[in-house]
Amino acid sequence: MLLLFYTLTLFNRFHTKADQTLCQMMGDPKYPLLSKDGEAIIGGIFAMHSKETLPSFEFTEKPQPLLCSSVNLPDFRLAQIMIFAIEEINRSEMLLPNVSIGYQIYDTCSSRMSSMSATMGLMNGPEFAAGETCNGQSSIHAIIGETESSATVILSRTTGPFKIPVISHTASCECLSNRKDHPSFFRTISSDYHQSRALAYIVKHLGWSWVGAVNSDNDYGNYGMAIFLNTAQKEGICVEYSEKFYRTEPEKLKKVVDTIKKGTTKVIVAFVSFIEMGLLIDQLNILNITGLQIIGVEGWITSKSLITPKSFQVMGGSLGFALRKINLEGFSDYVVKAFWETAFPCTQIKGNSSQYVINCSRYQDLLALKNYNEDVPEQRYSSHVYKAVYAVAHSLHSLLKCKEQEGCEKGLTIQPQQVVEALKKVNFTVKFGDRVWFDRTGAAVAQYEVVNWQQDSDGSLQFKSVGYYDASLPPDQQFVLNTENIIWARGQLKKPSSICSESCLPGTRKAAQKGRPVCCYDCIPCAEGEISNETDSNNCKQCPGEYWSNAEKNKCVLKAVEFLSFTEVMGIVLVFFSLFGAGLTVLVAILFYRMRDTPIVKANNSELSFLLLFSLTLCFLCSLTFIGQPNEWSCMLRHTAFGITFVLCISCLLGKTIVVLMAFKATLPGSNVMKWFGPAQQRLSVVAFTLIQVLICVLWLTISPPFPHKNMKYFKEKIILECSLGSTISFWAVLGYIGLLAVLCFILAFLARTLPDNFNEAKFITFSMLIFCAVWITFIPAYVSSPGKFTVAVEIFAILASSFGLLFCIFAPKCYIILLKPYQNTKKHMMGKNIF
């Protein structure tokens, strides 16, 4: 309890003492490098020197101030343009007519430490009046700066809680677009969101799909490269490698250079700050790495200090986006005369107060630039500082309710937060024609010039404008690139190629290489029946059912229709044998007709012999219906004609066989069988057997007739035009019935083969049926297994083979006797014994 009481008493004592303490500044105040009093103050933070020397920290005495050296001319020009714009406004009768604007410009010496010190100096002011307490108000209304994005992030985060507006002229990092983290930040340059995407668009536009990427390891490089890589992926651009380094990391820089040297791509996207780019160029020069097509950003692409005869060996032909170069009227003269007379501190006479004593030694290196202005036309950021100053002025103009003749209300107190809100609404046009306004992220519209590092005929090195990117224009007009005006790497006039794999021609498809980016692929020919009719096709398309791919696999063509035609060799051969068989049969018929009265023709019913010859002729001729393009009628005719003619033929043979058996039985004592199978019964049997086949065929044609069919199962590349059987059962019923009659005839002829007769026809019928059955038994597996038109050829072959077998076996012996041994063609010989 006593400890608690003591703690409360001690806390109350300290609190009472704090209430009585006046506001004090710890340490020495930091004074601006350039300053001027005014009713409204604009702060400026620029890296007017590039090197900072730290004092010794031995903690034995008070540290000395930091020393800055090595003038950074571009930023010094930016400070001058800020003063130039302020003095121009102070002379204006239209803008803030009776209000003077002052400035406080600090030098950061390219150091984060000095940058923070300058920020605190701007926010706090250089001193406190005696007796005053802290009022929480800043002595400035806005800050213009910084140059680098990372430093600007620090500046914006520091001033953000105090609602002090910061307007940057060069900080383009997309990270600064976050209004939650940077609510009072504005910039007269566009966000790198646009530049990063434009980099991907220029690479895509030039047909490059295989690039390397290098960026600074800071906010500017990391955010910019992240957007580029994301856009590149969407645009189908592959990145072989993505490396980064910072100016204080020589080992990482060496790694980056080694990666570039080993890489296969010759196009490098360098999202690098000015200082890092200088270090990278030096290393590339040392290793003599040339022939690279560099694509750069506004941070370095137009830096005069980088384009030297030595660096041009490596960087010649570089392309990149730069800010537009705008000539500010009167500024070139101002930097060599009026600035030094009115704004430079060493020419001013100050009082004896120690805090106002000007130590001119800190300005000696700047005095060396007094008469130099040759770089002024190349300053591309000057207009952005100019716009920033005028944006603040227009904001103050609206807040002070200024009127052209009445002036401004001077009694108003302007808070930085009010300036922030006013900046969101500014919309005006500066004297060189650009409109100034800020979007919802506080940035300006993206407008870039595409420049190319070129060497003129006189040997001078130039930044040649070859196009532009303007996000304010319609999408189809935003990007323009005049490739005919570009000089490429190594001074080439022909655009270099940068692809991981050559384009896959029509007829092939891309197949990704395992473990490599999608831009690295093999070109695989499309499979049979598939095509690709465009370059770099990811997949081959299947041709529709009746189409097939051509030889180049780039077009679907109608499949070749195949059928057994009269014009092909196989068709001609089959037609020949068919007609030959039919002609031979007709000749035999003519011979028999002429010898119709001879015993050998009369034997075994000459009427059946003529009917058999007629049916054989039809058998030979029916094979012709199988040749030619199938149609509805030919399909129905070929199978029915085949079935009926062969049944007619076998019926005749069966009749002859029965006649032989009956004739033998009739020679037996008491036999009277021939009256039961005379000529009338023989004709009737042939008609009856044939009518059964006709009935089967009629049912077939009625129920499910054969029809033309495009068979695409056997061959994928062609269509087999064939006759579908319709009813398979009917087809096999037709064949089965023929087979049944043939087997029956064979059995009867086999039984009659040993009957005593000099000319026993049963022997020849047996042989003919043996050949017939052998042919058709062999036909079944051959028919089933033969593809396409060969199925038809097998069926025709079976018809011709069996027909020739019947013709030769039945009629060849008789023709032999008639033509060569006519003496045997007698009744005596026919009735004799053991003569034949």
Side-chain angles (χ1 to χ4, degrees):
M1 188 68 181
L2 289 174
L3 180 60
L4 177 61
F5 176 75
Y6 176 77
T7 303
L8 291 173
T9 304
L10 185 63
F11 175 79
N12 182 63
R13 181 182 176 186
F14 284 142
H15 185 268
T16 303
K17 185 177 180 180
D19 289 340
Q20 298 172 352
T21 303
L22 297 177
C23 200
Q24 298 182 38
M25 178 177 289
M26 304 297 293
D28 294 333
K30 182 176 179 65
Y31 293 96
L33 189 67
L34 302 169
S35 65
K36 179 182 178 180
D37 293 333
E39 295 168 281
I41 304 296
I42 301 176
I45 299 180
F46 302 100
M48 287 180 277
H49 291 84
S50 58
K51 292 183 180 179
E52 183 180 59
T53 304
L54 299 176
S56 61
F57 295 104
E58 298 178 357
F59 303 103
T60 59
E61 60 180 357
K62 184 178 180 180
Q64 296 298 313
L66 303 176
L67 298 177
C68 297
S69 60
S70 186
V71 175
N72 182 12
L73 183 57
D75 270 40
F76 179 55
R77 294 297 187 214
L78 297 180
Q80 289 179 310
I81 194 67
M82 176 178 170
I83 299 172
F84 173 78
I86 289 174
E87 292 184 358
E88 192 175 75
I89 293 169
N90 286 338
R91 294 192 301 269
S92 173
E93 295 180 358
M94 304 289 292
L95 188 61
L96 296 173
N98 60 337
V99 176
S100 63
I101 300 178
Y103 56 85
Q104 294 179 11
I105 300 177
Y106 284 80
D107 182 11
T108 66
C109 302
S110 302
S111 164
R112 297 290 183 268
M113 186 185 302
S114 292
S115 177
M116 180 56 71
S117 178
T119 303
M120 300 308 295
L122 281 172
M123 293 172 63
N124 294 325
E127 61 182 8
F128 290 98
E132 287 186 356
T133 59
C134 297
N135 58 15
Q137 300 301 319
S138 173
S139 60
I140 58 172
H141 293 89
I143 299 174
I144 295 176
E146 279 207 30
T147 302
E148 291 192 353
S149 293
S150 296
T152 307
V153 170
I154 298 173
L155 172 61
S156 177
R157 288 186 181 276
T158 304
T159 59
F162 303 98
K163 306 296 188 294
I164 300 174
V166 173
I167 307 176
S168 178
H169 52 286
T170 56
S172 54
C173 179
E174 172 62 13
C175 56
L176 289 163
S177 297
N178 190 332
R179 300 307 279 174
K180 183 178 180 181
D181 294 337
H182 307 280
S184 57
F185 174 76
F186 299 87
R187 50 185 162 190
T188 51
I189 191 173
S190 62
S191 164
D192 279 334
Y193 173 80
H194 300 283
Q195 183 175 208
S196 299
R197 290 169 61 86
L199 284 173
Y201 296 152
I202 195 172
V203 171
K204 180 74 173 181
H205 179 80
L206 293 171
W208 295 327
S209 60
W210 187 238
V211 300
V214 178
N215 66 278
S216 299
D217 193 6
N218 54 21
D219 290 331
Y220 173 73
N222 290 332
Y223 277 90
M225 183 54 69
I227 296 171
F228 166 76
L229 293 176
N230 183 52
T231 307
Q233 183 180 12
K234 293 178 181 178
E235 294 294 329
I237 301 168
C238 293
V239 179
E240 182 180 10
Y241 54 81
S242 180
E243 299 289 341
K244 58 185 177 181
F245 71 98
Y246 192 61
R247 62 195 66 169
T248 59
E249 300 172 330
E251 293 301 321
K252 284 191 176 181
L253 175 58
K254 289 181 180 179
K255 180 186 175 184
V256 170
V257 175
D258 288 341
T259 302
I260 293 174
K261 186 176 181 180
K262 295 176 183 177
T264 58
T265 179
K266 295 300 179 183
V267 176
I268 312 295
V269 176
F271 211 108
V272 182
S273 302
F274 167 73
I275 297 176
E276 280 85 0
M277 195 64 205
L279 297 172
L280 179 60
I281 292 174
D282 290 341
Q283 289 297 314
L284 293 175
N285 267 320
I286 291 172
L287 297 178
N288 194 29
I289 301 175
T290 60
L292 299 176
Q293 182 63 57
I294 309 295
I295 309 297
V297 290
E298 45 78 26
W300 64 268
I301 194 68
T302 54
S303 298
K304 271 287 186 181
S305 59
L306 293 181
I307 187 168
T308 64
K310 187 176 181 180
S311 69
F312 195 80
Q313 296 177 6
V314 175
M315 303 296 294
S318 294
L319 277 174
F321 291 101
L323 301 177
R324 292 183 302 128
K325 187 166 56 175
I326 297 173
N327 181 31
L328 293 172
E329 184 180 355
F331 180 60
S332 184
D333 295 332
Y334 174 80
V335 300
V336 294
K337 188 175 181 182
F339 171 78
W340 303 101
E341 294 174 355
T342 61
F344 197 65
C346 279
T347 60
Q348 299 177 6
I349 300 176
K350 294 292 181 181
N352 294 326
S353 177
S354 59
Q355 58 185 335
Y356 289 143
V357 173
I358 303 298
N359 183 6
C360 284
S361 62
R362 66 189 291 213
Y363 298 98
Q364 289 300 319
D365 51 0
L366 295 177
L367 284 169
L369 302 172
K370 185 174 181 179
N371 298 315
Y372 180 75
N373 66 352
E374 293 181 6
D375 65 302
V376 171
E378 297 299 328
Q379 298 299 325
R380 294 177 180 260
Y381 294 99
S382 299
S383 62
H384 291 75
V385 175
Y386 186 89
K387 293 176 186 177
V389 173
Y390 267 83
V392 176
H394 276 271
S395 300
L396 294 173
H397 186 89
S398 64
L399 291 171
L400 293 172
K401 302 178 181 178
C402 299
K403 297 181 180 179
E404 185 175 346
Q405 295 180 348
E406 299 177 8
C408 306
E409 297 183 15
K410 291 193 175 184
L412 298 176
T413 301
I414 304 299
Q415 302 294 335
Q417 174 63 28
Q418 293 176 277
V419 181
V420 171
E421 296 303 320
L423 282 170
K424 294 178 181 178
K425 301 175 184 177
V426 296
N427 194 332
F428 62 93
T429 303
V430 290
K431 65 180 181 180
F432 46 82
D434 282 9
R435 190 164 69 93
V436 180
W437 59 280
F438 300 107
D439 62 18
R440 58 184 180 83
T441 67
V445 66
Q447 291 178 323
Y448 297 105
E449 187 179 23
V450 183
V451 297
N452 179 217
W453 286 26
Q454 296 186 9
Q455 186 174 28
D456 286 345
S457 56
D458 60 357
S460 61
L461 305 178
Q462 302 290 336
F463 302 121
K464 180 74 175 294
S465 177
V466 293
Y468 65 84
Y469 177 84
D470 190 342
S472 64
L473 298 175
D476 59 336
Q477 302 175 17
Q478 289 180 354
F479 179 63
V480 172
L481 185 65
N482 301 315
T483 54
E484 63 274 7
N485 297 332
I486 298 176
I487 304 296
W488 306 98
R490 296 183 185 271
Q492 298 296 315
L493 298 178
K494 183 180 179 182
K495 182 186 69 175
S497 175
S498 185
I499 53 177
C500 182
S501 300
E502 293 292 336
S503 293
C504 289
L505 299 175
T508 62
R509 65 174 177 85
K510 296 193 295 186
Q513 296 177 358
K514 188 176 182 181
R516 303 197 69 189
V518 293
C519 296
C520 301
Y521 48 81
D522 297 317
C523 295
I524 307 299
C526 291
E528 295 292 333
E530 295 182 348
I531 64 159
S532 64
N533 53 7
E534 57 187 16
T535 303
D536 289 333
S537 178
N538 291 317
N539 296 293
C540 295
K541 302 175 184 177
Q542 184 73 40
C543 288
E546 294 189 11
Y547 289 82
W548 195 250
S549 56
N550 60 357
E552 292 77 20
K553 307 292 179 62
N554 60 6
K555 185 179 180 181
C556 284
V557 295
L558 282 171
K559 289 181 179 180
V561 178
E562 184 180 85
F563 56 88
L564 188 60
S565 68
F566 289 100
T567 57
E568 61 181 295
V569 175
M570 186 186 304
I572 294 173
V573 170
L574 292 175
V575 168
F576 171 77
F577 281 105
S578 176
L579 295 178
F580 176 74
L584 194 61
T585 306
V586 171
L587 289 177
V588 172
I590 294 173
L591 179 63
F592 269 48
Y593 180 77
R594 291 184 62 186
M595 299 295 180
R596 62 184 179 278
D597 295 327
T598 60
I600 201 167
V601 174
K602 288 182 176 181
N604 294 340
N605 196 333
S606 60
E607 185 177 339
L608 287 181
S609 295
F610 283 107
L611 188 58
L612 176 59
L613 287 171
F614 172 73
S615 64
L616 280 176
T617 303
L618 294 180
C619 287
F620 280 116
L621 293 178
C622 81
S623 63
L624 297 177
T625 63
F626 288 82
I627 305 175
Q629 182 173 345
N631 55 54
E632 186 175 354
W633 288 103
S634 66
C635 287
M636 290 189 291
L637 177 63
R638 64 174 58 173
H639 289 101
T640 53
F642 154 72
I644 294 172
T645 55
F646 264 84
V647 165
L648 177 61
C649 181
I650 302 301
S651 298
C652 292
L653 289 176
L654 185 60
K656 278 180 166 292
T657 305
I658 295 174
V659 168
V660 171
L661 287 173
M662 292 301 175
F664 174 74
K665 293 293 184 181
T667 60
L668 296 177
S671 176
N672 195 24
V673 296
M674 284 302 296
K675 70 176 182 178
W676 300 108
F677 203 73
Q681 288 81 7
Q682 294 173 23
R683 288 191 290 271
L684 183 62
S685 66
V686 171
V687 171
F689 288 136
T690 304
L691 281 177
I692 294 174
Q693 184 74 306
V694 170
L695 180 61
I696 295 173
C697 290
V698 169
L699 291 175
W700 185 6
L701 296 178
T702 303
I703 298 172
S704 181
F707 58 90
H709 171 63
K710 294 179 179 179
N711 190 334
M712 292 179 279
K713 293 182 180 179
Y714 283 128
F715 302 100
K716 294 181 179 179
E717 72 278 7
K718 57 186 176 181
I719 298 174
I720 304 301
L721 192 58
E722 61 184 11
C723 286
S724 177
L725 297 175
S727 173
T728 306
I729 296 175
S730 299
F731 172 73
W732 291 111
V734 168
L735 285 184
Y737 183 65
I738 295 174
L740 176 65
L741 293 181
V743 169
L744 180 60
C745 184
F746 173 74
I747 293 172
L748 294 177
F750 184 78
L751 294 176
R753 76 189 186 285
T754 58
L755 295 179
D757 197 343
N758 274 338
F759 195 80
N760 189 355
E761 200 172 25
K763 297 176 183 179
F764 308 116
I765 295 175
T766 303
F767 287 123
S768 66
M769 287 298 100
L770 190 62
I771 293 173
F772 185 89
C773 292
V775 167
W776 287 101
I777 290 173
T778 307
F779 159 78
I780 294 173
Y783 179 83
V784 173
S785 61
S786 297
K789 62 183 180 181
F790 296 102
T791 304
V792 179
V794 166
E795 191 167 358
I796 295 174
F797 175 79
I799 293 172
L800 294 178
S802 56
S803 298
F804 275 113
L806 293 175
L807 178 64
F808 284 116
C809 289
I810 302 298
F811 295 100
K814 295 180 180 182
C815 292
Y816 174 77
I817 293 174
I818 293 173
L819 296 175
L820 299 180
K821 293 186 178 182
Y823 60 89
Q824 294 183 4
N825 189 8
T826 61
K827 187 174 181 181
K828 179 181 178 181
H829 175 78
M830 295 295 297
M831 298 301 295
K833 303 295 182 182
N834 300 323
I835 297 175
F836 185 77

